Amino acid sequence: MTTATPTPTPGHYAIDVPRSEITFTTKHLFGLGTVRGSFQLRGGTVSLAEPLTATRVDAVADAASFDTGNKNRDRQVLSKALLDTENYPDIVFSAAGAELDQGGAWALQGRLTAHGVDAPVTFTVTRAEVIGDEIAVEAVATVDRYAHGVTKLKGMAARHLQLTASVRARRGNGSHTA
């Protein structure tokens, strides 16, 4: 993990939605092809604590913003067969603590709710910077779609997605949404 000086000031940071993104890679066609895509964030907060182990993160992504650049694939993923975004419009992440993992990186042990099902997920921080009154954080996680009840199209769509959250957040009192 790369951390620029100075250390972030403990406090409440609002996620800057237009300057943040969630990207993913996964496999399709029985693992022969790679799919890249993204989700847009709706909003969220980072509450940095002292000590950092008490840090809290809450974020919401727009499930219907799923985009791989392939309209037919995206339509199928958004449908009732997979994400069912009409009934489950939000993907929610919440973590109530951070810890140093065995490799010395900060890990956010949290819960991810997608397709109406809550399951554990760990985001590992790969980059963190302080830029004035802002923080820039990049974290990665592996998400098991089966853990969220998204089990159709086995073989055609891989079970796991590799997520990367690139988040900018500004110190302040309220959450910033687009």
Side-chain angles (χ1 to χ4, degrees), residues 112-149:
L112 185 71
T113 304
H115 194 252
V117 179
D118 180 67
V121 68
T122 300
F123 274 91
T124 301
V125 176
T126 57
R127 183 179 62 81
E129 292 182 78
V130 177
I131 307 156
D133 63 349
E134 293 185 345
I135 55 173
V137 177
E138 185 170 281
V140 297
T142 299
V143 173
D144 179 351
R145 70 181 179 101
Y146 292 9
H148 296 281

Side-chain angles (χ1 to χ4, degrees), residues 77-154:
V77 170
L78 296 170
S79 76
K80 289 185 184 294
L82 293 170
L83 284 180
D84 191 6
T85 58
E86 188 174 311
N87 290 308
Y88 306 105
D90 295 332
I91 298 171
V92 178
F93 173 72
S94 183
E99 59 187 45
L100 282 173
D101 69 13
Q102 292 177 348
W106 284 100
L108 297 165
Q109 303 283 341
R111 307 293 297 179
L112 185 71
T113 304
H115 194 252
V117 179
D118 180 67
V121 68
T122 300
F123 274 91
T124 301
V125 176
T126 57
R127 183 179 62 81
E129 292 182 78
V130 177
I131 307 156
D133 63 349
E134 293 185 345
I135 55 173
V137 177
E138 185 170 281
V140 297
T142 299
V143 173
D144 179 351
R145 70 181 179 101
Y146 292 9
H148 296 281
V150 182
T151 59
K152 294 188 179 169
L153 298 177
K154 293 179 180 179

Side-chain angles (χ1 to χ4, degrees), residues 13-29:
Y13 292 76
I15 292 175
D16 187 343
V17 172
R19 296 169 60 214
S20 300
E21 66 179 349
I22 305 293
T23 58
F24 66 86
T25 60
T26 191
K27 295 290 185 178
H28 72 120
L29 297 174

